[in-house]
Amino acid sequence: GQRQLLPLAPALRARLVAAGFQTAQELLDTGPCGLSKEIGISKEEALEALQVVRQECHSDATQTAGAPGTSRKCTALELLEQEQAQGFIITFCSALDNILGGGVQLTKITEICGEPGVGKTQLCMQLAVDVQIPECFGGLAGEAVFIDTEGSFMVDRVVDVATACVQHCQLIAEAHQEEDHLKALETFSLESILSHIYYFRCRDYIELLAQVYLLPDFLSEHSKVRLVVIDGIAFPFRHDFEDLSLRTRLLNGLAQQLIIVANDHKAAVILTNQMTTRIGQSQSTLVPALGESWGHAATVRLIFHWDNNQRLATLYKSPSQKESTIPYHITPHGFRDVQPPAVTQNPEGTELNPRKRPRREEEK
Amino acid sequence: MAPKKLRRARLSQELCERLSRYQITTCQDFLCLSLLDLMKVTGQSYRNVQKLLCKVSLACAPKMQTAYEMKVRRAVNPSSAFLSTSLHGLDKVLHGGVPCGSLTEITSPPGCGKTQFCIMMSVLATLPVSMGGLDGAVIYIDTESAFSAERLVEIAGNRFPAYFDSDEKLFSMTRSIYLYRELTCGSVLKRIKSLEEEIISKKVKLIIIDSVASVVRKEFDTKLQGNLTERSNFLARGASLLKYLAEEFSIPDPAFCLFPKCSLREPA
């Protein structure tokens, strides 16, 4: 290349020339430790020199088009500040919010596993409403994407849940009589809540794959979305898959894309999963479906199950909260605490014996 | 529901030809490949492959609707949202009756009356809308040869003597009930797959399968380890086909199962 004069101190330059260095690239390739040894200067001086050289070279070089995005790096302190400012989507069941550390976290994937009828879709519908609560009432004023693979989404039920949520906010507004509360209620209505739940019915795994590929663009166009629900991640993958390695690869790809979506768009991703039977030596147990490698996909894992007639939620996996079990109710108004709210610990393992549930004997 | 060919995803002719040399002809094939494989077979850059993925996904992805639009659509036609069972207490608990557009499962130990219930629902579905029916035909898939036409006529005549006041009315009702006897899982699945056209041509408003469990238990002994996956496979595939039909045509789809006193899933 061209011969330029680098803005280095003359003494330094003399030493470099004496040592036989001819091009800037050579200097860069040697590195600060090698350079300091070779020309007899301290490591800090060598580093300074190299930084000067690098700056000179970059100001000349043309930027290559389409460079990949710089990797995000930050200190743990910056991350701590981000995490503390992070929003949560409340569930309206204070016991569940407590064990989750405030509610369902944004930028993370939360998986809810459980048998049919235990309340997974109920919680999803509740969250699709709760994410829209205005900021003055403690919400995120967001919108929701609901991807349904099993057809479990019931509009009439969402109407019940949304109506109860609006009434709850109205009670708060009446009690406090603040202006921003009353203003927010003007636009927080049943109609607006329903209009901001974007519903996609995916009939098979191809429709699901396609929809997840299109999610980033959709979320860029609808920047207020703070919740993505995939109700029934297992259902499309449990049949028509002779090639299990393909299934694993596709699921891993899905998980990766969802992590990116959650991070880039500051959204919470909720997945619901079925339970399957693992045939053991002496007994069979219920475990989350889709295999062991899928267990790594979600950051937070909740298992919903029955104990006699009481519904329970167990926090099974979380990087920051400890494992606990709490009871919950499904009421006409939605997902709620058991009165009075109680938090109980679950010291035993989390593999659940289906025989402890006399209420429903039959299983698929 | 066969996989869509790539030509219909608006990819260029040239690209389709190139891909077909690698045996990639459907959107399904395309979307199942990893990014690296896609770059290799298309010969295009990372960026362009992303764009192609979006294009193919657009051809396969479902249409978006807001929950509000769904509510409005249901409100437009409330009477066709449920099929009343004619049992007041049951209708109350179900908020109207057997819901249209989704699968309903009925289970019980033997002898409780599931088949009788099915037969009664068949009569109800053929009744005019003014009487709480769906004014349509019924497809009845019978895996146990339990259906009795005589019983059907008996129920209709006794339950609705004012409506079925002539033999002609009774025979017209029986003509709208299409009975299929299927004795294996494979034939049940095949029958379900063929239903789409029948539903349209015969104006079917109710599909009954009596019963799913009997045909599954005959073929899959759950004591044998490998059978559990195959059985789940069959059930899942059947369920998703039925759901597709139920939603597409907004028909109620009671799929009846027969369960004995002990659990169907027995320990190995």
Side-chain angles (χ1 to χ4, degrees), chain A residues 150 156 191 194-195 197 199-201 203 205-207 213 239-240 249 277 279 363-364, chain B residues 28 32 57 60-62 64-68 71 74 105 233 237 243-244 247 265 268:
Chain A
E150 296 176 347
D156 300 322
E191 187 179 313
L194 292 180
S195 310
I197 298 178
Y199 178 82
F200 298 88
R201 175 74 168 94
R203 304 266 167 83
Y205 76 92
I206 292 297
E207 289 191 7
Y213 273 127
H239 57 99
D240 291 338
R249 184 165 61 69
T277 322
I279 315 274
E363 300 291 342
K364 275 217 189 65
Chain B
Q28 183 171 337
C32 285
S57 297
C60 300
M64 190 269 286
Q65 357 167 19
T66 65
Y68 183 69
K71 173 171 176 277
R74 276 176 86 85
E105 180 185 331
N233 223 317
R237 197 182 303 160
K243 280 193 218 223
Y244 164 70
E247 287 172 21
R265 188 181 4 96

mmCIF file of all heavy atoms in Angstrom, chain A residues 150 156 191 194-195 197 199-201 203 205-207 213 239-240 249 277 279 363-364, chain B residues 28 32 57 60-62 64-68 71 74 105 233 237 243-244 247 265 268:
data_model
loop_
_atom_site.group_PDB
_atom_site.id
_atom_site.type_symbol
_atom_site.label_atom_id
_atom_site.label_comp_id
_atom_site.label_asym_id
_atom_site.label_seq_id
_atom_site.Cartn_x
_atom_site.Cartn_y
_atom_site.Cartn_z
ATOM 1 N N GLU A 150 -53.612 -24.666 18.939
ATOM 2 C CA GLU A 150 -54.581 -25.705 19.295
ATOM 3 C C GLU A 150 -56.020 -25.232 19.191
ATOM 4 O O GLU A 150 -56.926 -26.016 19.374
ATOM 5 C CB GLU A 150 -54.339 -26.174 20.739
ATOM 6 C CG GLU A 150 -53.003 -26.834 20.943
ATOM 7 C CD GLU A 150 -52.763 -27.194 22.400
ATOM 8 O OE1 GLU A 150 -53.528 -26.708 23.254
ATOM 9 O OE2 GLU A 150 -51.822 -27.937 22.669
ATOM 10 N N ASP A 156 -64.876 -15.104 23.911
ATOM 11 C CA ASP A 156 -65.840 -14.774 24.964
ATOM 12 C C ASP A 156 -65.157 -14.716 26.318
ATOM 13 O O ASP A 156 -65.490 -13.897 27.174
ATOM 14 C CB ASP A 156 -66.961 -15.823 25.003
ATOM 15 C CG ASP A 156 -67.706 -15.900 23.694
ATOM 16 O OD1 ASP A 156 -67.922 -14.841 23.089
ATOM 17 O OD2 ASP A 156 -68.059 -17.016 23.268
ATOM 18 N N GLU A 191 -63.135 -2.551 24.033
ATOM 19 C CA GLU A 191 -62.891 -2.542 22.589
ATOM 20 C C GLU A 191 -61.410 -2.355 22.271
ATOM 21 O O GLU A 191 -60.852 -3.052 21.408
ATOM 22 C CB GLU A 191 -63.708 -1.415 21.946
ATOM 23 C CG GLU A 191 -63.642 -1.437 20.444
ATOM 24 C CD GLU A 191 -64.478 -0.328 19.833
ATOM 25 O OE1 GLU A 191 -65.631 -0.175 20.277
ATOM 26 O OE2 GLU A 191 -63.958 0.368 18.941
ATOM 27 N N LEU A 194 -59.375 -5.575 23.072
ATOM 28 C CA LEU A 194 -59.532 -6.626 22.070
ATOM 29 C C LEU A 194 -58.848 -6.261 20.756
ATOM 30 O O LEU A 194 -58.303 -7.124 20.069
ATOM 31 C CB LEU A 194 -61.021 -6.904 21.825
ATOM 32 C CG LEU A 194 -61.794 -7.539 22.982
ATOM 33 C CD1 LEU A 194 -63.244 -7.757 22.576
ATOM 34 C CD2 LEU A 194 -61.182 -8.859 23.397
ATOM 35 N N SER A 195 -58.867 -4.968 20.427
ATOM 36 C CA SER A 195 -58.268 -4.560 19.153
ATOM 37 C C SER A 195 -56.760 -4.667 19.162
ATOM 38 O O SER A 195 -56.141 -4.671 18.100
ATOM 39 C CB SER A 195 -58.621 -3.103 18.824
ATOM 40 O OG SER A 195 -59.981 -2.897 18.956
ATOM 41 N N ILE A 197 -55.044 -7.190 20.613
ATOM 42 C CA ILE A 197 -54.564 -8.568 20.692
ATOM 43 C C ILE A 197 -54.520 -9.073 19.260
ATOM 44 O O ILE A 197 -55.556 -9.248 18.620
ATOM 45 C CB ILE A 197 -55.494 -9.445 21.553
ATOM 46 C CG1 ILE A 197 -55.528 -8.923 22.987
ATOM 47 C CG2 ILE A 197 -54.998 -10.893 21.539
ATOM 48 C CD1 ILE A 197 -56.453 -9.706 23.899
ATOM 49 N N TYR A 199 -54.070 -11.859 16.730
ATOM 50 C CA TYR A 199 -54.258 -13.304 16.834
ATOM 51 C C TYR A 199 -53.867 -14.012 15.542
ATOM 52 O O TYR A 199 -54.267 -13.612 14.446
ATOM 53 C CB TYR A 199 -55.734 -13.581 17.177
ATOM 54 C CG TYR A 199 -56.102 -15.035 17.277
ATOM 55 C CD1 TYR A 199 -55.853 -15.757 18.435
ATOM 56 C CD2 TYR A 199 -56.713 -15.695 16.215
ATOM 57 C CE1 TYR A 199 -56.199 -17.098 18.530
ATOM 58 C CE2 TYR A 199 -57.065 -17.031 16.303
ATOM 59 C CZ TYR A 199 -56.806 -17.724 17.472
ATOM 60 O OH TYR A 199 -57.152 -19.047 17.569
ATOM 61 N N PHE A 200 -53.058 -15.076 15.697
ATOM 62 C CA PHE A 200 -52.662 -15.888 14.542
ATOM 63 C C PHE A 200 -52.984 -17.338 14.858
ATOM 64 O O PHE A 200 -52.530 -17.877 15.855
ATOM 65 C CB PHE A 200 -51.159 -15.780 14.291
ATOM 66 C CG PHE A 200 -50.677 -14.393 13.958
ATOM 67 C CD1 PHE A 200 -50.312 -13.511 14.966
ATOM 68 C CD2 PHE A 200 -50.587 -13.977 12.643
ATOM 69 C CE1 PHE A 200 -49.867 -12.240 14.662
ATOM 70 C CE2 PHE A 200 -50.138 -12.711 12.330
ATOM 71 C CZ PHE A 200 -49.777 -11.832 13.347
ATOM 72 N N ARG A 201 -53.727 -17.995 13.981
ATOM 73 C CA ARG A 201 -54.061 -19.408 14.186
ATOM 74 C C ARG A 201 -53.165 -20.240 13.282
ATOM 75 O O ARG A 201 -53.309 -20.228 12.064
ATOM 76 C CB ARG A 201 -55.542 -19.633 13.869
ATOM 77 C CG ARG A 201 -55.975 -21.070 13.942
ATOM 78 C CD ARG A 201 -56.072 -21.538 15.396
ATOM 79 N NE ARG A 201 -56.748 -22.822 15.476
ATOM 80 C CZ ARG A 201 -56.135 -24.005 15.484
ATOM 81 N NH1 ARG A 201 -54.826 -24.049 15.412
ATOM 82 N NH2 ARG A 201 -56.834 -25.112 15.561
ATOM 83 N N ARG A 203 -52.015 -23.807 12.024
ATOM 84 C CA ARG A 203 -52.591 -25.149 11.987
ATOM 85 C C ARG A 203 -51.567 -26.257 11.976
ATOM 86 O O ARG A 203 -51.888 -27.403 12.253
ATOM 87 C CB ARG A 203 -53.461 -25.308 10.745
ATOM 88 C CG ARG A 203 -54.538 -24.281 10.639
ATOM 89 C CD ARG A 203 -55.833 -24.778 11.240
ATOM 90 N NE ARG A 203 -56.778 -23.700 11.403
ATOM 91 C CZ ARG A 203 -57.561 -23.243 10.461
ATOM 92 N NH1 ARG A 203 -57.511 -23.788 9.271
ATOM 93 N NH2 ARG A 203 -58.373 -22.251 10.686
ATOM 94 N N TYR A 205 -46.900 -27.177 11.847
ATOM 95 C CA TYR A 205 -45.605 -26.613 12.231
ATOM 96 C C TYR A 205 -45.042 -25.678 11.171
ATOM 97 O O TYR A 205 -44.276 -24.769 11.498
ATOM 98 C CB TYR A 205 -44.619 -27.731 12.606
ATOM 99 C CG TYR A 205 -44.031 -28.503 11.453
ATOM 100 C CD1 TYR A 205 -42.841 -28.116 10.872
ATOM 101 C CD2 TYR A 205 -44.662 -29.641 10.956
ATOM 102 C CE1 TYR A 205 -42.284 -28.834 9.826
ATOM 103 C CE2 TYR A 205 -44.126 -30.358 9.914
ATOM 104 C CZ TYR A 205 -42.930 -29.949 9.350
ATOM 105 O OH TYR A 205 -42.403 -30.655 8.306
ATOM 106 N N ILE A 206 -45.443 -25.874 9.904
ATOM 107 C CA ILE A 206 -44.940 -24.975 8.854
ATOM 108 C C ILE A 206 -45.510 -23.572 9.041
ATOM 109 O O ILE A 206 -44.794 -22.569 8.931
ATOM 110 C CB ILE A 206 -45.293 -25.534 7.467
ATOM 111 C CG1 ILE A 206 -44.506 -26.812 7.205
ATOM 112 C CG2 ILE A 206 -44.998 -24.513 6.373
ATOM 113 C CD1 ILE A 206 -43.005 -26.622 7.167
ATOM 114 N N GLU A 207 -46.819 -23.497 9.359
ATOM 115 C CA GLU A 207 -47.414 -22.176 9.595
ATOM 116 C C GLU A 207 -46.760 -21.528 10.800
ATOM 117 O O GLU A 207 -46.545 -20.307 10.826
ATOM 118 C CB GLU A 207 -48.932 -22.298 9.803
ATOM 119 C CG GLU A 207 -49.682 -22.650 8.520
ATOM 120 C CD GLU A 207 -51.195 -22.513 8.654
ATOM 121 O OE1 GLU A 207 -51.672 -22.015 9.687
ATOM 122 O OE2 GLU A 207 -51.895 -22.913 7.704
ATOM 123 N N TYR A 213 -40.773 -16.626 11.681
ATOM 124 C CA TYR A 213 -39.832 -15.917 10.795
ATOM 125 C C TYR A 213 -40.313 -14.502 10.528
ATOM 126 O O TYR A 213 -39.520 -13.576 10.367
ATOM 127 C CB TYR A 213 -39.702 -16.647 9.457
ATOM 128 C CG TYR A 213 -38.661 -17.749 9.448
ATOM 129 C CD1 TYR A 213 -38.992 -19.033 9.040
ATOM 130 C CD2 TYR A 213 -37.351 -17.507 9.819
ATOM 131 C CE1 TYR A 213 -38.063 -20.046 9.031
ATOM 132 C CE2 TYR A 213 -36.405 -18.512 9.815
ATOM 133 C CZ TYR A 213 -36.757 -19.784 9.415
ATOM 134 O OH TYR A 213 -35.840 -20.791 9.405
ATOM 135 N N HIS A 239 -46.767 -34.799 16.070
ATOM 136 C CA HIS A 239 -47.102 -35.838 15.097
ATOM 137 C C HIS A 239 -46.421 -35.519 13.783
ATOM 138 O O HIS A 239 -45.950 -34.426 13.565
ATOM 139 C CB HIS A 239 -48.611 -35.964 14.947
ATOM 140 C CG HIS A 239 -49.285 -34.696 14.543
ATOM 141 N ND1 HIS A 239 -49.645 -34.419 13.257
ATOM 142 C CD2 HIS A 239 -49.678 -33.626 15.260
ATOM 143 C CE1 HIS A 239 -50.234 -33.242 13.216
ATOM 144 N NE2 HIS A 239 -50.273 -32.739 14.418
ATOM 145 N N ASP A 240 -46.383 -36.450 12.890
ATOM 146 C CA ASP A 240 -45.759 -36.276 11.575
ATOM 147 C C ASP A 240 -44.264 -36.010 11.667
ATOM 148 O O ASP A 240 -43.700 -35.381 10.787
ATOM 149 C CB ASP A 240 -46.389 -35.097 10.816
ATOM 150 C CG ASP A 240 -47.813 -35.422 10.418
ATOM 151 O OD1 ASP A 240 -48.146 -36.619 10.350
ATOM 152 O OD2 ASP A 240 -48.589 -34.489 10.191
ATOM 153 N N ARG A 249 -33.786 -29.816 15.672
ATOM 154 C CA ARG A 249 -33.135 -28.679 15.029
ATOM 155 C C ARG A 249 -34.130 -27.537 14.823
ATOM 156 O O ARG A 249 -33.813 -26.369 15.077
ATOM 157 C CB ARG A 249 -32.535 -29.108 13.687
ATOM 158 C CG ARG A 249 -31.774 -27.969 13.031
ATOM 159 C CD ARG A 249 -30.872 -28.437 11.916
ATOM 160 N NE ARG A 249 -31.560 -29.079 10.819
ATOM 161 C CZ ARG A 249 -32.359 -28.454 9.969
ATOM 162 N NH1 ARG A 249 -32.578 -27.180 10.109
ATOM 163 N NH2 ARG A 249 -32.950 -29.124 8.999
ATOM 164 N N THR A 277 -45.733 -38.629 29.039
ATOM 165 C CA THR A 277 -45.410 -39.660 30.024
ATOM 166 C C THR A 277 -44.024 -40.197 29.784
ATOM 167 O O THR A 277 -43.674 -40.533 28.662
ATOM 168 C CB THR A 277 -46.367 -40.854 29.858
ATOM 169 O OG1 THR A 277 -47.647 -40.351 29.546
ATOM 170 C CG2 THR A 277 -46.425 -41.667 31.125
ATOM 171 N N ILE A 279 -41.909 -43.320 30.664
ATOM 172 C CA ILE A 279 -42.054 -44.660 31.247
ATOM 173 C C ILE A 279 -40.762 -45.000 31.969
ATOM 174 O O ILE A 279 -39.697 -45.054 31.356
ATOM 175 C CB ILE A 279 -42.304 -45.719 30.145
ATOM 176 C CG1 ILE A 279 -43.328 -45.214 29.152
ATOM 177 C CG2 ILE A 279 -42.693 -47.036 30.765
ATOM 178 C CD1 ILE A 279 -44.744 -45.463 29.522
ATOM 179 N N GLU A 363 -56.492 -39.963 31.073
ATOM 180 C CA GLU A 363 -55.505 -39.115 30.423
ATOM 181 C C GLU A 363 -55.393 -39.563 28.998
ATOM 182 O O GLU A 363 -55.668 -40.702 28.676
ATOM 183 C CB GLU A 363 -54.126 -39.295 31.082
ATOM 184 C CG GLU A 363 -54.102 -38.948 32.544
ATOM 185 C CD GLU A 363 -54.284 -37.472 32.784
ATOM 186 O OE1 GLU A 363 -54.105 -36.674 31.850
ATOM 187 O OE2 GLU A 363 -54.624 -37.104 33.901
ATOM 188 N N LYS A 364 -54.959 -38.664 28.154
ATOM 189 C CA LYS A 364 -54.715 -39.092 26.777
ATOM 190 C C LYS A 364 -53.332 -39.682 26.729
ATOM 191 O O LYS A 364 -52.421 -39.053 27.247
ATOM 192 C CB LYS A 364 -54.805 -37.886 25.844
ATOM 193 C CG LYS A 364 -56.217 -37.619 25.440
ATOM 194 C CD LYS A 364 -56.228 -37.149 23.990
ATOM 195 C CE LYS A 364 -57.568 -36.645 23.575
ATOM 196 N NZ LYS A 364 -58.076 -35.487 24.196
ATOM 197 N N GLN B 28 -42.510 -26.202 2.597
ATOM 198 C CA GLN B 28 -42.121 -26.993 3.760
ATOM 199 C C GLN B 28 -40.644 -27.353 3.682
ATOM 200 O O GLN B 28 -39.895 -27.183 4.644
ATOM 201 C CB GLN B 28 -42.975 -28.260 3.792
ATOM 202 C CG GLN B 28 -42.716 -29.124 4.983
ATOM 203 C CD GLN B 28 -43.731 -30.243 5.065
ATOM 204 O OE1 GLN B 28 -44.824 -30.144 4.512
ATOM 205 N NE2 GLN B 28 -43.400 -31.286 5.763
ATOM 206 N N CYS B 32 -37.641 -25.819 6.308
ATOM 207 C CA CYS B 32 -36.996 -26.760 7.227
ATOM 208 C C CYS B 32 -35.473 -26.757 7.122
ATOM 209 O O CYS B 32 -34.808 -27.397 7.916
ATOM 210 C CB CYS B 32 -37.508 -28.183 6.987
ATOM 211 S SG CYS B 32 -39.149 -28.427 7.639
ATOM 212 N N SER B 57 -42.233 -17.440 3.867
ATOM 213 C CA SER B 57 -43.052 -17.430 5.085
ATOM 214 C C SER B 57 -44.368 -16.708 4.844
ATOM 215 O O SER B 57 -45.415 -17.144 5.319
ATOM 216 C CB SER B 57 -42.300 -16.758 6.224
ATOM 217 O OG SER B 57 -41.146 -17.490 6.544
ATOM 218 N N CYS B 60 -46.943 -18.885 3.573
ATOM 219 C CA CYS B 60 -47.422 -19.968 4.431
ATOM 220 C C CYS B 60 -48.093 -19.482 5.701
ATOM 221 O O CYS B 60 -48.861 -20.212 6.324
ATOM 222 C CB CYS B 60 -46.259 -20.853 4.884
ATOM 223 S SG CYS B 60 -45.395 -21.615 3.555
ATOM 224 N N ALA B 61 -47.755 -18.278 6.130
ATOM 225 C CA ALA B 61 -48.204 -17.836 7.451
ATOM 226 C C ALA B 61 -49.703 -17.567 7.442
ATOM 227 O O ALA B 61 -50.270 -17.207 6.423
ATOM 228 C CB ALA B 61 -47.448 -16.576 7.863
ATOM 229 N N PRO B 62 -50.340 -17.720 8.605
ATOM 230 C CA PRO B 62 -51.776 -17.467 8.685
ATOM 231 C C PRO B 62 -52.069 -15.963 8.665
ATOM 232 O O PRO B 62 -51.193 -15.155 8.887
ATOM 233 C CB PRO B 62 -52.161 -18.060 10.047
ATOM 234 C CG PRO B 62 -50.915 -18.021 10.840
ATOM 235 C CD PRO B 62 -49.786 -18.196 9.877
ATOM 236 N N MET B 64 -53.595 -12.476 10.025
ATOM 237 C CA MET B 64 -53.778 -11.937 11.360
ATOM 238 C C MET B 64 -55.215 -11.440 11.522
ATOM 239 O O MET B 64 -55.797 -10.889 10.597
ATOM 240 C CB MET B 64 -52.816 -10.754 11.562
ATOM 241 C CG MET B 64 -52.731 -10.242 12.979
ATOM 242 S SD MET B 64 -53.885 -8.938 13.387
ATOM 243 C CE MET B 64 -53.176 -7.551 12.553
ATOM 244 N N GLN B 65 -55.795 -11.682 12.729
ATOM 245 C CA GLN B 65 -57.053 -11.017 13.049
ATOM 246 C C GLN B 65 -56.911 -10.488 14.464
ATOM 247 O O GLN B 65 -56.227 -11.092 15.283
ATOM 248 C CB GLN B 65 -58.255 -11.962 13.008
ATOM 249 C CG GLN B 65 -57.997 -13.357 12.602
ATOM 250 C CD GLN B 65 -59.145 -14.293 12.889
ATOM 251 O OE1 GLN B 65 -60.295 -13.895 13.092
ATOM 252 N NE2 GLN B 65 -58.854 -15.570 12.921
ATOM 253 N N THR B 66 -57.578 -9.395 14.758
ATOM 254 C CA THR B 66 -57.541 -8.934 16.137
ATOM 255 C C THR B 66 -58.680 -9.627 16.883
ATOM 256 O O THR B 66 -59.654 -10.082 16.278
ATOM 257 C CB THR B 66 -57.748 -7.419 16.257
ATOM 258 O OG1 THR B 66 -59.074 -7.114 15.812
ATOM 259 C CG2 THR B 66 -56.725 -6.659 15.444
ATOM 260 N N ALA B 67 -58.552 -9.704 18.210
ATOM 261 C CA ALA B 67 -59.575 -10.348 19.017
ATOM 262 C C ALA B 67 -60.909 -9.619 18.834
ATOM 263 O O ALA B 67 -61.981 -10.226 18.897
ATOM 264 C CB ALA B 67 -59.160 -10.363 20.483
ATOM 265 N N TYR B 68 -60.802 -8.318 18.556
ATOM 266 C CA TYR B 68 -62.025 -7.536 18.370
ATOM 267 C C TYR B 68 -62.775 -7.994 17.122
ATOM 268 O O TYR B 68 -64.001 -8.167 17.137
ATOM 269 C CB TYR B 68 -61.682 -6.049 18.263
ATOM 270 C CG TYR B 68 -62.894 -5.173 18.140
ATOM 271 C CD1 TYR B 68 -63.752 -5.011 19.211
ATOM 272 C CD2 TYR B 68 -63.212 -4.524 16.946
ATOM 273 C CE1 TYR B 68 -64.880 -4.228 19.112
ATOM 274 C CE2 TYR B 68 -64.335 -3.742 16.833
ATOM 275 C CZ TYR B 68 -65.163 -3.592 17.920
ATOM 276 O OH TYR B 68 -66.286 -2.823 17.815
ATOM 277 N N LYS B 71 -64.590 -11.149 17.829
ATOM 278 C CA LYS B 71 -65.801 -10.959 18.633
ATOM 279 C C LYS B 71 -66.944 -10.462 17.751
ATOM 280 O O LYS B 71 -68.066 -10.956 17.843
ATOM 281 C CB LYS B 71 -65.526 -9.950 19.742
ATOM 282 C CG LYS B 71 -66.765 -9.557 20.535
ATOM 283 C CD LYS B 71 -66.394 -8.732 21.758
ATOM 284 C CE LYS B 71 -67.622 -8.251 22.493
ATOM 285 N NZ LYS B 71 -68.210 -7.036 21.932
ATOM 286 N N ARG B 74 -68.468 -13.242 15.718
ATOM 287 C CA ARG B 74 -69.331 -14.144 16.481
ATOM 288 C C ARG B 74 -70.651 -13.481 16.794
ATOM 289 O O ARG B 74 -71.699 -14.102 16.813
ATOM 290 C CB ARG B 74 -68.640 -14.541 17.784
ATOM 291 C CG ARG B 74 -67.688 -15.686 17.631
ATOM 292 C CD ARG B 74 -66.993 -15.944 18.931
ATOM 293 N NE ARG B 74 -67.748 -16.821 19.802
ATOM 294 C CZ ARG B 74 -67.704 -18.145 19.753
ATOM 295 N NH1 ARG B 74 -66.968 -18.739 18.847
ATOM 296 N NH2 ARG B 74 -68.402 -18.865 20.593
ATOM 297 N N GLU B 105 -65.278 -33.448 23.671
ATOM 298 C CA GLU B 105 -65.026 -34.846 23.978
ATOM 299 C C GLU B 105 -65.975 -35.299 25.068
ATOM 300 O O GLU B 105 -66.208 -34.581 26.037
ATOM 301 C CB GLU B 105 -63.591 -35.012 24.457
ATOM 302 C CG GLU B 105 -63.246 -36.432 24.803
ATOM 303 C CD GLU B 105 -61.844 -36.554 25.402
ATOM 304 O OE1 GLU B 105 -60.990 -35.731 25.062
ATOM 305 O OE2 GLU B 105 -61.644 -37.458 26.219
ATOM 306 N N ASN B 233 -49.296 -40.254 18.131
ATOM 307 C CA ASN B 233 -49.224 -39.757 16.766
ATOM 308 C C ASN B 233 -50.581 -39.772 16.097
ATOM 309 O O ASN B 233 -51.039 -38.774 15.541
ATOM 310 C CB ASN B 233 -48.296 -40.685 15.983
ATOM 311 C CG ASN B 233 -47.364 -39.909 15.109
ATOM 312 O OD1 ASN B 233 -47.767 -38.960 14.464
ATOM 313 N ND2 ASN B 233 -46.119 -40.313 15.110
ATOM 314 N N ARG B 237 -52.765 -36.456 15.229
ATOM 315 C CA ARG B 237 -53.059 -36.143 13.839
ATOM 316 C C ARG B 237 -54.568 -36.080 13.609
ATOM 317 O O ARG B 237 -55.067 -35.177 12.951
ATOM 318 C CB ARG B 237 -52.438 -37.191 12.911
ATOM 319 C CG ARG B 237 -52.363 -36.674 11.480
ATOM 320 C CD ARG B 237 -51.813 -37.671 10.531
ATOM 321 N NE ARG B 237 -50.501 -38.136 10.909
ATOM 322 C CZ ARG B 237 -49.971 -39.261 10.464
ATOM 323 N NH1 ARG B 237 -50.643 -40.013 9.628
ATOM 324 N NH2 ARG B 237 -48.778 -39.633 10.852
ATOM 325 N N LYS B 243 -59.974 -30.600 14.169
ATOM 326 C CA LYS B 243 -60.035 -29.185 14.551
ATOM 327 C C LYS B 243 -60.075 -28.306 13.313
ATOM 328 O O LYS B 243 -60.801 -27.319 13.263
ATOM 329 C CB LYS B 243 -58.807 -28.800 15.372
ATOM 330 C CG LYS B 243 -58.909 -29.216 16.822
ATOM 331 C CD LYS B 243 -57.835 -28.530 17.633
ATOM 332 C CE LYS B 243 -57.290 -29.443 18.670
ATOM 333 N NZ LYS B 243 -57.115 -28.788 19.954
ATOM 334 N N TYR B 244 -59.260 -28.673 12.329
ATOM 335 C CA TYR B 244 -59.230 -27.900 11.096
ATOM 336 C C TYR B 244 -60.620 -27.877 10.467
ATOM 337 O O TYR B 244 -61.127 -26.831 10.089
ATOM 338 C CB TYR B 244 -58.214 -28.512 10.140
ATOM 339 C CG TYR B 244 -58.352 -28.042 8.711
ATOM 340 C CD1 TYR B 244 -58.019 -26.740 8.360
ATOM 341 C CD2 TYR B 244 -58.834 -28.889 7.723
ATOM 342 C CE1 TYR B 244 -58.167 -26.307 7.055
ATOM 343 C CE2 TYR B 244 -58.973 -28.463 6.425
ATOM 344 C CZ TYR B 244 -58.637 -27.163 6.087
ATOM 345 O OH TYR B 244 -58.788 -26.752 4.803
ATOM 346 N N GLU B 247 -63.134 -25.799 12.647
ATOM 347 C CA GLU B 247 -62.970 -24.351 12.555
ATOM 348 C C GLU B 247 -63.309 -23.836 11.175
ATOM 349 O O GLU B 247 -63.947 -22.811 11.025
ATOM 350 C CB GLU B 247 -61.532 -23.972 12.911
ATOM 351 C CG GLU B 247 -61.297 -24.116 14.394
ATOM 352 C CD GLU B 247 -59.848 -23.936 14.762
ATOM 353 O OE1 GLU B 247 -59.111 -23.330 13.971
ATOM 354 O OE2 GLU B 247 -59.470 -24.408 15.842
ATOM 355 N N ARG B 265 -53.784 -44.828 30.273
ATOM 356 C CA ARG B 265 -52.334 -44.896 30.209
ATOM 357 C C ARG B 265 -51.880 -45.774 31.353
ATOM 358 O O ARG B 265 -51.885 -45.371 32.490
ATOM 359 C CB ARG B 265 -51.742 -43.498 30.322
ATOM 360 C CG ARG B 265 -50.273 -43.494 30.066
ATOM 361 C CD ARG B 265 -49.611 -42.124 30.187
ATOM 362 N NE ARG B 265 -50.452 -41.051 30.604
ATOM 363 C CZ ARG B 265 -50.576 -40.621 31.842
ATOM 364 N NH1 ARG B 265 -49.921 -41.209 32.803
ATOM 365 N NH2 ARG B 265 -51.351 -39.604 32.131
ATOM 366 N N ALA B 268 -45.889 -49.215 32.502
ATOM 367 C CA ALA B 268 -45.194 -50.278 31.772
ATOM 368 C C ALA B 268 -44.769 -51.385 32.723
ATOM 369 O O ALA B 268 -44.487 -51.109 33.889
ATOM 370 C CB ALA B 268 -43.977 -49.721 31.088
#
